[in-house]
Amino acid sequence: MKKLIGIILGCILLVGCANKIDYNQKSMSLALGMSKPQVSSILGQPRRTDVNEERERWIYWNPVMVGFTPVDNEQLAGDRLVVTFVDGKVSRWGQQTLADDMMENTQKLYKQGLDNARQVQAQ
């Protein structure tokens, strides 16, 4: 009986892991300047997108297993991959973190502040 339960649990774990996509491996085929259709043919459709006036990000991740339950949570995923497009072409990719997002926003605010100061000075 214990052997049967072990076999069943093993099968459940294998089925749960079988759908996992290795985004790290697939990202090795990406190149700067690729178009969105080219990226989509390699990685598939993104799980989430993040768009602003300067760039577009496609975000990929796999659900994680918590016990025997798959949890689809981007923040818990250890294999998060972010592909950034500028003018419809790949400009970078990798595991972008919250700290990277905060740095990008800080740089934008700093640039806006400098632009505003220059406008005031010019008047």
Side-chain angles (χ1 to χ4, degrees):
M1 184 65 166
K2 287 182 182 180
K3 199 173 202 179
L4 178 62
I5 291 173
I7 291 171
I8 292 171
L9 289 176
C11 290
I12 291 171
L13 288 175
L14 286 175
V15 169
C17 297
N19 295 332
K20 187 173 182 177
I21 299 169
D22 188 350
Y23 291 118
N24 187 37
Q25 180 66 33
K26 287 187 172 230
S27 71
M28 301 294 275
S29 301
L30 297 178
L32 293 174
M34 284 184 136
S35 67
K36 292 177 188 178
Q38 288 172 313
V39 172
S40 182
S41 71
I42 294 169
L43 298 174
Q45 291 301 310
R47 303 287 304 269
R48 183 173 74 82
T49 59
D50 175 21
V51 181
N52 68 25
E53 61 276 349
E54 298 163 359
R55 53 105 182 110
E56 179 175 353
R57 288 186 186 147
W58 286 8
I59 300 128
Y60 299 87
W61 71 90
N62 283 303
V64 295
M65 294 297 286
V66 177
F68 294 108
T69 307
V71 177
D72 190 10
N73 185 310
E74 177 183 355
Q75 300 305 318
L76 294 177
D79 62 348
R80 184 174 182 255
L81 174 68
V82 179
V83 181
T84 303
F85 297 91
V86 175
D87 297 326
K89 302 290 182 187
V90 172
S91 63
R92 68 181 176 173
W93 67 92
Q95 292 185 340
Q96 182 123 6
T97 64
L98 180 59
D100 296 324
D101 291 342
M102 290 170 57
M103 185 184 317
E104 181 182 329
N105 288 334
T106 301
Q107 288 171 344
K108 265 196 262 183
L109 290 172
Y110 181 73
K111 185 180 180 308
Q112 286 174 348
L114 284 176
D115 291 345
N116 290 342
R118 288 183 184 131
Q119 287 177 352
V120 168
Q121 236 177 6
Q123 293 176 354

